[in-house]
Amino acid sequence: MEQRADTDTGGGVETPKKMSPWPLFVAVGLAVAEVGIVMEGLYPVAVAGLLLFVGSVAGIVHEAGYVARPWKLLGALGALLVLAGVGVLYSQVGTDLLSALASDSVVVVRGYAILGAGVIAVFGGFAGRFVVDADPSVPE
Amino acid sequence: MAGEQLALTVLMGVLLVGIVALVSRYGDLRSYTPLAGGAGYGGETSHGHSEKPAGLIRWFTTVDHKDIGILYGLYGTIAFLWGGAAVMLMRVELAAPGFDVMQAQFYNSLLTSHGITMLFLFGTPIIAAFSNYFVPLLIGADDMAFPRINAIAFWLLPPAAVLIWAGFFTAPLTGNEIAPAQTSWTMYTPLSAEQVNPGVDLMLLGLHLSGVSATMGAINFIATIFTERSEKVNWANLDIFSWTILTQSALILFAFPLLGSALVMLLLDRNFGTAFFAVDGGSPILWQHLFWFFGHPEVYILVLPPMGLVSWILPKFAGRKLFGFKFVVYSTLAIGVLSFGVWAHHMFSTGIDPRIRASFMAVSLAIAIPSAVKTFNWITTLWNGKIRLTAPMLFCIGFISNFVIGGITGVFLAAIPVDLVLHDTYYVVGHFHYVVMGMIAFAGFGAIYYWYPIVTGKMYQRTLAKWHFWLSMVGTNITFFAFLLLGYLGMPRRYATYNFDAAIAPLAEVTSLHQIATVGAFILMIGQLIWLWNLVSSYYEGPTVEDGDPWNLKEDGMFGREFQWFEAQLARADGGEVEDEELVTDGGRIVNENLTAAVRRVADDDE
């Protein structure tokens, strides 16, 4: 199709440069998260979609060179999700957040899904920072 | 229920682990050149590295504007075939008055799918196919300003299409519990808010994603055209196609977020118990205001770039420069501005204040002025020109001819008294199909033929292309002129069946016109099948283009920047000195000095 060669093996390390694995996952993560949050009964899908989305965003921003390591950003995005999840819960049960546990409203469950994804992302951020980065065998 | 949730959770866990495994296979992802201005992280040069991985992985991971343009094109073609198949079923159903082929529910589903597919999944992406591939070449840029965001914008579209079409797949699996949406593309409330079918939610989500995609793309084009132009390309010699893409992107930037907000409000109404559009809450009319404040600019989002394509291609085969270039640019900007002041002409019959109606009528009629400026400039460009009737040129001329009918019928509809009579009849459908099929698709076909040699390195089959043009031109005019007449006879739109009292309209004539329209649609379909065959077979078997000037544009001094780039590419493939790709994706420095010079030369040579 193209007139030029796609690879150049004339010395140096063979690493592709006009590619990035993240855009596909950012897009799919957003789509899966939207479907999971809105469609009734797909809350695990919402958690997975949100995690995929925030994870890929942290990955792509890191790859583009805007942050040195992705973990802080992952944790911050997780914190935003926690806030959003608490906001949804607050909209349903007010300040008595514990009573939400007893509620069977579908909106409350959606709030928990968002909150849960946020908590996992925050933990992921900590884990990356203190476990992965602490491992000397992982390249910078 | 709990078991279901558990299964879903496990499934998602497996999916995520799979993704992590897949991504980790790429090893050190940080060795690329970082984004322009994005600090020096991972800053070792790209020299000596291969460009792209091989095979399918290349297409899933590419951030090259040319590859993404091709992906947009393939995607738009698939959507075009889906939308076309839906409408052929509808035309067959309408060939006779009763329910002969399908029931109303399925007809409504096809109608909704056809409209949304053609506007959001074909129309907008097919324009992005041209702009992604050619705007950077035309302005002498290395790539888009944000290549990764460009890729994200594309990859949002396949999930969007899957969601918009989801009802057709889930209906047989769930016993019609999740059925395709039957809201029409306008999704008017309260109908769309009250239908319990979850298929409507899926469609709204898909539409929302397509809007996010369009907005990301638009921001990218604005940034690219403002910041990535080569130093020889200034506002005065920026090509007409890039001007229309810039204007279109501005319209997208203001219009699509509104669609997104309105869709979220509708989703909240459906799933979170809000009452934005409820009859006893906000108002169903609020939906129409929000929707059309997006929806009317959307018309110009779809039509301005095709006008740019015609303004770019038509002069090439008329052997003359575009007449009144400056005024074509001004008219583009004027249409862009005016497009936001006309939305209520879709609502003349909803009982809104007559003074508001009158002012919207005035602005709607005013859009005819810049439109006419363009039309007369195209005609004047042809005047005394050295006209060559190649397939791209035929499509440009067909475009102008269809625009005259499509545009003038629009002027009539902008007048309140005429609109009150013809509102929601086939006249409206005929009017906008002259524009959508007769203009947008025609300009797209012209551009596909014109740039086919650059994208594929092959030449298409000219006779088949002419068959495609004539079948499309004849089919379009038969089908959609019949629509205009049907509208005058009072045939309402969006109906799967028709049966008139003889005192209101003559059923025999209405039936005949529907049959004529169906025959026209089949003629159109045959033309498109020829087009598809031509493109695919020529890609595999067509003669390889060896000349950088396949259209003989040099002799008229019409050799544009994109073909200059193509010529440089061919020279390189012929064993020129430079072998590796020169354009650094992320706007990093250009490694090879010779190529830096070559790229600049391309920009310099153009007037």
Side-chain angles (χ1 to χ4, degrees), chain B residues 235-282:
Chain B
W235 291 115
N237 67 11
L238 183 65
D239 64 282
I240 188 71
F241 178 58
S242 300
W243 267 113
T244 55
I245 289 296
L246 184 64
T247 314
Q248 180 221 27
S249 300
L251 295 189
I252 289 177
L253 195 60
F254 289 109
F256 265 92
L258 199 95
L259 173 72
S261 316
L263 287 174
V264 168
M265 288 154 84
L266 185 52
L267 281 165
L268 292 175
D269 268 15
R270 290 175 56 83
N271 296 291
F272 288 77
T274 56
F276 291 110
F277 306 124
V279 178
D280 51 355

Side-chain angles (χ1 to χ4, degrees), chain A residues 45-127:
Chain A
V45 177
V47 176
L50 287 169
L51 284 175
L52 183 53
F53 180 63
V54 293
S56 315
V57 168
I60 201 169
V61 172
H62 171 236
E63 182 198 55
Y66 288 118
V67 291
R69 301 296 291 151
W71 310 118
K72 254 195 225 171
L73 180 62
L74 178 63
L77 291 171
L80 284 180
L81 287 181
V82 169
L83 281 179
V86 169
V88 172
L89 292 180
Y90 177 78
S91 76
Q92 297 301 305
V93 296
T95 48
D96 187 11
L97 286 179
L98 284 181
S99 72
L101 287 170
S103 164
D104 55 357
S105 144
V106 287
V107 181
V108 167
V109 188
R110 286 173 178 142
Y112 274 121
I114 300 171
L115 179 67
V119 170
I120 298 174
V122 170
F123 272 107
F126 278 116

Side-chain angles (χ1 to χ4, degrees), chain A residues 1-28 30-32 34-49 51-52 60 62-69 88 92 106-107 110 138-140, chain B residues 1 5 8-9 12 16 19 22-23 26 29-32 34-36 38-39 41 46 48-53 58-64 66-67 70 148 151-152 155-156 159 163 198 201-202 205 208-209 212 267 271-272 455-457 539 566 569-570 573 580-581 583 585:
Chain A
M1 181 170 294
E2 324 273 323
Q3 273 74 35
R4 57 180 151 60
D6 274 343
T7 53
D8 176 9
T9 47
V13 190
E14 183 108 2
T15 313
K17 69 175 186 242
K18 284 205 169 186
M19 59 85 80
S20 164
W22 296 112
L24 176 63
F25 295 121
V26 173
V28 171
L30 183 60
V32 172
E34 279 199 347
V35 172
I37 292 170
V38 171
M39 301 302 285
E40 214 176 313
L42 292 182
Y43 308 114
V45 177
V47 176
L51 284 175
L52 183 53
I60 201 169
H62 171 236
E63 182 198 55
Y66 288 118
V67 291
R69 301 296 291 151
V88 172
Q92 297 301 305
V106 287
V107 181
R110 286 173 178 142
V138 177
E140 266 296 309
Chain B
M1 195 63 188
Q5 298 283 311
L8 275 174
T9 313
M12 279 300 141
L16 283 176
I19 288 168
L22 194 66
V23 175
Y26 286 104
L29 294 166
R30 299 183 299 280
S31 62
Y32 317 142
L35 273 179
Y41 192 76
S46 46
H49 295 181
S50 62
E51 280 300 321
K52 296 166 188 168
R58 164 184 169 191
W59 296 99
F60 283 116
T61 59
T62 182
V63 295
D64 180 353
K66 297 190 291 300
D67 286 350
I70 292 170
R148 292 185 186 83
I152 295 175
W155 284 112
L156 283 169
L163 288 173
D201 293 311
L202 291 174
L205 288 171
H208 189 252
L209 286 177
V212 174
L267 281 165
N271 296 291
F272 288 77
V455 176
T456 63
Y539 172 69
F566 179 57
Q569 289 288 97
L570 285 182
D580 68 339
E581 182 69 10
L583 301 176
T585 316

Side-chain angles (χ1 to χ4, degrees), chain B residues 156-167:
Chain B
L156 283 169
L157 284 175
V162 169
L163 288 173
I164 287 171
W165 299 337

